Amino acid sequence: MTLSQIVIQLLEGLIVSVRIFAITLLFSLPLGLLVAFGRMSKNALINGLTKVYISIMRGTPLMLQLFVVYYGPYYLFNIKLSPTYRNSAVYIGFIINYAAYFAEIYRSGIQSMPIGQYEAAEILGYSKMQTFFRIILPQVIKRILPSVTNEIITLVKDTSLAFSISVMEMFTQAKALSSSQTSMTPLIVAGVFYYIFNFVVAMVMEKAEKKLDYYK
Amino acid sequence: MNLLEMKNVKKNFGNLRVLKDISIEVADGEIVSIIGPSGSGKSTLLRCATLLETLDSGTLKYQDKVVAENDSSGKAVYADKETLKQVKSVYGLVFQQFNLFPHWNVLQNVTDAVINVQKKPRAEAEKIGRDLLEKMGLSDKAGYYPYQLSGGQQQRVAIARALALSPKVLFFDEPTSALDPELTGEVLKVIKSLKDLNIAMVIVTHEMAFARDISDKVIFMADGVVVERGSAEEVFNSDNERMKAFLGRYKSIL
Ligand SMILES: Nc1ncnc2c1ncn2[C@@H]1O[C@H](COP(=O)(O)OP(=O)(O)OP(=O)(O)O)[C@@H](O)[C@H]1O
Ligand SMILES: [Mg+2]
């Protein structure tokens, strides 16, 4: 197998990895905000449930969570799902896991906001919704961007965990190629791709941070 | 009819009795200063008047609208949401720490609530905003962000922001206490210049000379009660021992 064949096959895998990455972000970022609200809720039940959820998501391996999401329906409820459920399982597993991490980041950001911002907004007559979306959230986003960047870079690497339920993303491909060709090359090429992926991610996030640099 | 009426107001924080039966009245266009030692409950009183805190007991009224009133057991009960919302448009508050919105420039800070709370058209809001900034001597700062301004300028923006909503009464909680002495003067001058807007002002301040010059009425608070009240002249020349002891600390500037 030539290098270019390896590269082409891994690029196919990369597309799958990028899709996992993008779909996870698309859903876990808003879901995380919702979970953060639950975590800060005065309702003891909602508060307790989200607390348990977050602690499970953070306290157990993502790989194990993927297994549970993928095999759970069959083992627990005897529901037979088509093999294409594999992909959905990966998305679901990643989204609920990352939502928990993002929720904690949002929460720390929201709680770091000075009370004076809320009081000024209240005096000026803003509704609770307006206060949050016009005044609090934009400032929170600036504050949490560095932590979010860390999380996103971890996500790029975590997409490789999808190999555990045999989703054909880049790492799964690289591993298969490596053993069939008895060669390190596919793994090295995959490593380079991950690196470039993260390089781009870091660049985009730096741009975003710069964009929010217009105020202190 | 009084613009603001607080009657027999009581407020505790846990076991700490901060306001012990306080009554004050503010008429349209009246300028009232509240002075008194640290911890006497001045900020708490303003925060009760502006609904940032709730009274435990007593009456709070703006014009003919009852905001809070005692039930039969002597506990303050608040009016419905709609009344509270209406009442909120009557007053504004200027904070010691300005509390500007850092992600908006000066003009946005001043106009955003006019547009998004009062629902006035943007063009009208910006006209209001620019006129006020001119009055505050900040015409050239409309595009600046709060962090680019001095404390005195930030406080003047905060005053413009409050005035933009055309309140009938503006509360100030130590508007110059966070400022260097050089910047205090410019803010006090601006507040004095508001006299011709004919809105009522309730000012908590440690600037005694300012309070004496600007006020129609001065209220001296200590330990959660009003010890002395009257015209500036009456209060500053009072024979009350606590009043004298308190003013003694400011003798050099009065
Ligand atoms: N949220 C709160 N919880 C508990 N105690 C409070 C709270 N706010 C104020 N206090 C206490 O109430 C008392 C009165 O405080 P307040 O801030 O009203 O005084 P002040 O007259 O404004 O003083 P200063 O001149 O220092 O601003 C103080 O003893 C203060 O510690
Ligand atoms: Mg105070």
Side-chain angles (χ1 to χ4, degrees), chain B:
Chain B
M1 186 172 48
N2 282 313
L3 178 57
L4 164 69
E5 204 176 303
M6 297 177 88
K7 226 158 72 192
N8 305 115
V9 168
K10 291 175 191 153
K11 172 75 183 172
N12 299 346
F13 287 115
N15 289 327
L16 184 67
R17 291 170 65 211
V18 179
L19 302 180
K20 314 167 188 165
D21 201 358
I22 288 210
S23 301
I24 67 167
E25 284 154 18
V26 179
D28 268 319
E30 194 176 29
I31 299 178
V32 179
S33 291
I34 302 178
I35 57 174
S38 186
S40 55
K42 305 179 299 294
S43 296
T44 306
L45 184 67
L46 286 202
R47 292 173 61 82
C48 284
T50 53
L51 306 189
L52 291 177
E53 298 282 358
T54 51
L55 333 172
D56 295 337
S57 162
T59 310
L60 171 60
K61 253 173 86 179
Y62 280 96
Q63 295 164 319
D64 55 348
K65 294 206 173 61
V66 177
V67 178
E69 196 169 40
N70 285 343
D71 60 11
S72 52
S73 69
K75 258 193 76 203
V77 180
Y78 277 76
D80 56 277
K81 270 202 173 124
E82 194 44 45
T83 311
L84 298 187
K85 205 174 150 196
Q86 287 169 8
V87 154
K88 278 186 181 174
S89 66
V90 176
Y91 59 81
L93 170 63
V94 173
F95 298 86
Q96 185 175 345
Q97 300 295 340
F98 332 134
N99 293 339
L100 292 178
F101 303 125
H103 58 310
W104 290 340
N105 70 27
V106 166
L107 189 64
Q108 283 171 300
N109 263 282
V110 177
T111 56
D112 192 85
V114 181
I115 298 166
N116 290 296
V117 175
Q118 291 190 332
K119 310 283 180 200
K120 286 188 182 160
R122 177 175 298 270
E124 189 187 337
E126 290 191 349
K127 167 98 175 61
I128 294 171
R130 286 188 192 281
D131 287 350
L132 280 168
L133 289 180
E134 195 186 328
K135 193 167 168 57
M136 298 293 133
L138 293 167
S139 295
D140 53 334
K141 301 284 190 253
Y144 282 51
Y145 285 87
Y147 81 93
Q148 296 169 312
L149 304 177
S150 73
Q153 291 168 334
Q154 289 189 49
Q155 191 60 298
R156 285 184 278 151
V157 174
I159 294 171
R161 177 176 74 173
L163 289 173
L165 297 171
S166 33
K168 292 214 157 46
V169 53
L170 193 50
F171 296 93
F172 295 82
D173 192 359
E174 301 194 26
T176 60
S177 291
L179 302 176
D180 294 338
E182 319 88 81
L183 302 179
T184 297
E186 68 181 51
V187 171
L188 294 182
K189 212 173 98 199
V190 158
I191 296 174
K192 276 186 183 157
S193 78
L194 302 183
K195 263 193 129 154
D196 49 79
L197 293 179
N198 266 323
I199 62 169
M201 294 196 264
V202 179
I203 309 166
V204 171
T205 183
H206 289 287
E207 299 291 332
M208 292 306 141
F210 166 74
R212 186 193 54 199
D213 296 344
I214 195 178
S215 311
D216 299 316
K217 191 157 90 190
V218 176
I219 293 174
F220 172 61
M221 269 177 77
D223 293 325
V225 296
V226 174
V227 174
E228 197 72 77
R229 73 175 90 206
S231 69
E233 195 170 352
E234 284 161 6
V235 171
F236 282 96
N237 296 318
S238 158
D239 284 331
N240 183 293
E241 282 308 317
R242 286 168 89 177
M243 185 75 227
K244 274 162 59 181
F246 174 73
L247 285 178
R249 280 183 271 148
Y250 298 93
K251 264 293 173 286
S252 60
I253 54 165
L254 284 170

